[in-house]
Amino acid sequence: MPAPAENVPPHVAIIMDGNGRWAKQRGLPRIEGHRRGVETVRTTTFAARDLGVRMLTLYAFSIENWKRPQEEVGALMTLLEYYLKKELETFVRDRVRLRTIGRTEELPAGVQKMLRTTMEETKHFNDYTLVLALNYGSRTEVVDAARSYAAAVAAGKEKLNDSSWGTFSRYLSTGDMPDPDLVIRTSGETRISNFLLLQAAYAEFVFMPVLWPDFTKADLSTAIAEYNRRERRFGLTSEQLKPAAAK
Ligand code: FPP
C-alpha cells in the first residue's frame, strides 16, 4: 500500500464502472458483477472513512441506466433495496449518514421507503456522509434546479438581479453539499458521463484501470496520493498560491 497521503480530500466522488466487464471476464451474468460491485460499495464506504474522507459520493444509478435491459434494471433495484436493508444497522452502529442526490421519487416504492428510513435514522451523524447518486444526471439536475429557481423568482423569494452561482447552486440536488475535491472513475474509461458536471468544476480527476468489483482500499489510497501530487490552482497561478500555502 502506498504511504498515507498527508492531504486527504474531504469529498471524494466515484464513478463505479466495470461491473459488467468483471462478470464477462469470468463468464458470469452481468448481475453477478453488480452483486460484487455492491460488496465493493460496502468496503469502500469504510475504507474512505478510515483514510479520513468526510464525504463519499457514489454514482450508483444514472438516469441513462433505465435504458439498460429491463432484467438488469430490475436486478439493480432489487440489489439496492437489499443493500439498504442490510446496511441500515451498520450505518447506525458506525455513524454513517446517508443521503441521496437525483430524482429518487422515480425509484421503486420499496427502494424509496428504505432510503427514507435510513436517511431519517442517520440524519444526526455529522462526521461522515455517504451520498448515493440514484437516478442522477447532471443535465436533468440543472433543468430541475432552473425550474425551481424560476418558481422562487416568480414567488418573490429570489431576485433575478441577485442571481449568482452561490444563489442558484442551492437549487441543485447537491444544494447544501461541498463540491467534490477528487473524482475517481474505475475501469479505464475516461468520461464524466453526466456526473456532477458543475460541482466538479475544480475537482481533480483520477482514472484507474481497475474494474469496480476489484477496487480496494489500496486503490483509493493510490488515488488520494495522486491527488496530493496535483496542484489545485482554482484559476490562480502557482506563484499566487505559494504565499497562501506558506501562511
Ligand atoms: C457500471 O458497471 C456500474 C453501474 C451501472 C452502477 C453501479 C452499481 C453498483 C455498484 C451496484 C448497486 C449499487 C448500490 C449502491 C447498491 P457497468 O455495468 O457499466 O460495467 P461495464 O461498463 O463493464 O459493462
Side-chain angles (χ1 to χ4, degrees):
M1 202 180 286
E6 1 146 18
N7 179 17
V8 178
H11 183 184
V12 175
I14 308 184
I15 304 176
M16 310 180 285
D17 195 10
N19 295 348
R21 273 163 286 170
W22 184 93
K24 196 169 175 201
Q25 283 172 3
R26 289 161 180 77
L28 297 169
R30 291 180 58 81
I31 189 61
E32 241 351 276
H34 294 315
R35 207 165 279 143
R36 283 298 297 257
V38 175
E39 287 309 313
T40 312
V41 165
R42 203 167 270 139
T43 51
T44 306
T45 299
F46 294 99
R49 191 172 67 177
D50 283 353
L51 292 170
V53 171
R54 300 291 307 272
M55 180 173 273
L56 176 71
T57 299
L58 300 176
Y59 204 5
F61 192 83
S62 76
I63 286 190
E64 289 74 24
N65 285 154
W66 292 112
K67 296 182 205 135
R68 291 191 174 203
Q70 219 184 328
E71 195 192 340
E72 184 173 339
V73 171
L76 274 169
M77 291 301 150
T78 306
L79 267 181
L80 182 58
E81 192 175 337
Y82 177 73
Y83 160 81
L84 291 166
K85 280 187 180 141
K86 207 166 157 206
E87 289 309 89
L88 177 57
E89 214 178 304
T90 321
F91 288 162
V92 171
R93 189 191 64 210
D94 295 335
R95 307 177 65 81
V96 176
R97 180 177 184 167
L98 181 82
R99 59 168 293 172
T100 60
I101 52 172
R103 284 184 174 175
T104 49
E105 66 279 10
E106 292 170 1
L107 295 171
V111 173
Q112 287 192 49
K113 186 164 172 273
M114 273 319 297
L115 285 172
R116 270 197 304 274
T117 307
T118 313
M119 288 194 293
E120 181 59 31
E121 297 213 12
T122 63
K123 70 180 181 195
H124 312 293
F125 304 141
N126 305 315
D127 293 343
Y128 180 67
T129 306
L130 171 67
V131 184
L132 295 180
L134 292 165
N135 195 18
Y136 177 84
S138 276
R139 289 180 172 178
T140 313
E141 178 190 34
V142 170
V143 171
D144 288 347
R147 204 178 281 147
S148 308
Y149 190 70
V153 170
K157 289 187 200 138
E158 298 283 358
K159 289 200 192 77
L160 205 49
N161 289 341
D162 294 343
S163 296
S164 65
W165 174 246
T167 52
F168 177 74
S169 62
R170 284 202 297 272
Y171 290 79
L172 296 169
S173 63
T174 51
D176 57 346
M177 282 167 51
D179 285 343
D181 303 285
L182 167 64
V183 178
I184 301 169
R185 183 173 187 144
T186 58
S187 93
E189 307 288 348
T190 49
R191 288 185 294 279
I192 308 180
S193 300
N194 207 13
F195 183 53
L196 301 177
L197 295 182
L198 294 170
Q199 297 87 341
Y202 291 103
E204 292 298 331
F205 286 81
V206 173
F207 298 100
M208 310 184 85
V210 60
L211 302 176
W212 178 248
D214 291 330
F215 186 82
T216 61
K217 188 175 183 180
D219 292 316
L220 183 58
S221 284
T222 302
I224 293 175
E226 172 61 29
Y227 168 88
N228 271 277
R229 282 192 287 277
R230 310 262 179 94
E231 181 187 55
R232 300 184 78 196
R233 292 207 294 269
F234 300 97
L236 305 179
T237 66
S238 260
E239 288 64 34
Q240 283 175 301
L241 285 171
K242 274 176 197 137
K247 266 181 206 160

